[in-house]
Amino acid sequence: MTALKLPDESEVFRLKTDSPIDVVVTDDAGTEQIQTMFIYLLDKLISSDVEIEFEKTPDYGNEMYENVCKDYIQSLNRELKEAREALIKEGFATGEK
C-alpha cells in the first residue's frame, strides 16, 4: 500500500493489486472504497495469510499522509491476522499459508 496524489489532486491510499484499489482520504467516498478494499482482502484471507506493506511513492511529499498510511497498515494487519484466525476457527478457511 502506498500514499499518493492523483492528477485531480485527491490524496489516496492505494492497495496495489491487479486492479489497484484507491481509498480517497480527502472526501466522503473513502467509506465505500474502504469497504471494497476489505471485501478484496477478505476474499484473499480465505485461501492464505495476507500482510500489507508500505511502499513509498517516489516524489510524493505529504509526510503526514504517509505516516497515517503506515499507521493504518499496522492496524489493518492486526485486523487481518485476527480475521484469518477467526475464518480458520469457523471452518471458512484452511490453516495453510
Side-chain angles (χ1 to χ4, degrees), residues 34-74:
I34 288 173
Q35 185 179 27
T36 299
M37 182 178 64
F38 274 124
I39 290 168
Y40 172 84
L41 292 170
L42 285 172
D43 185 56
K44 295 294 180 190
L45 282 177
I46 291 171
S47 60
S48 65
D49 292 343
V50 174
E51 184 173 349
I52 308 300
E53 296 179 357
F54 178 77
E55 182 179 316
K56 183 161 178 58
T57 299
D59 300 323
Y60 181 69
N62 193 325
E63 189 174 333
M64 181 186 75
Y65 282 130
E66 286 181 334
N67 289 335
V68 170
C69 186
K70 289 174 188 176
D71 289 344
Y72 181 66
I73 290 169
Q74 288 178 345

Side-chain angles (χ1 to χ4, degrees), residues 4-92:
L4 58 98
K5 185 178 283 194
L6 298 178
D8 69 359
E9 299 296 313
S10 297
E11 305 275 353
V12 301
F13 296 159
R14 176 170 284 171
L15 181 64
K16 294 184 176 185
T17 65
D18 293 337
S19 296
I21 300 170
D22 289 343
V23 177
V24 179
V25 295
T26 52
D27 71 22
D28 295 336
T31 304
E32 290 176 28
Q33 295 159 345
I34 288 173
Q35 185 179 27
T36 299
M37 182 178 64
F38 274 124
I39 290 168
Y40 172 84
L41 292 170
L42 285 172
D43 185 56
K44 295 294 180 190
L45 282 177
I46 291 171
S47 60
S48 65
D49 292 343
V50 174
E51 184 173 349
I52 308 300
E53 296 179 357
F54 178 77
E55 182 179 316
K56 183 161 178 58
T57 299
D59 300 323
Y60 181 69
N62 193 325
E63 189 174 333
M64 181 186 75
Y65 282 130
E66 286 181 334
N67 289 335
V68 170
C69 186
K70 289 174 188 176
D71 289 344
Y72 181 66
I73 290 169
Q74 288 178 345
S75 296
L76 183 57
N77 280 333
R78 280 191 298 274
E79 291 178 25
L80 291 171
K81 183 178 179 186
E82 291 171 9
R84 174 83 170 135
E85 290 169 358
L87 287 169
I88 292 169
K89 182 179 178 183
E90 297 297 324
F92 295 111

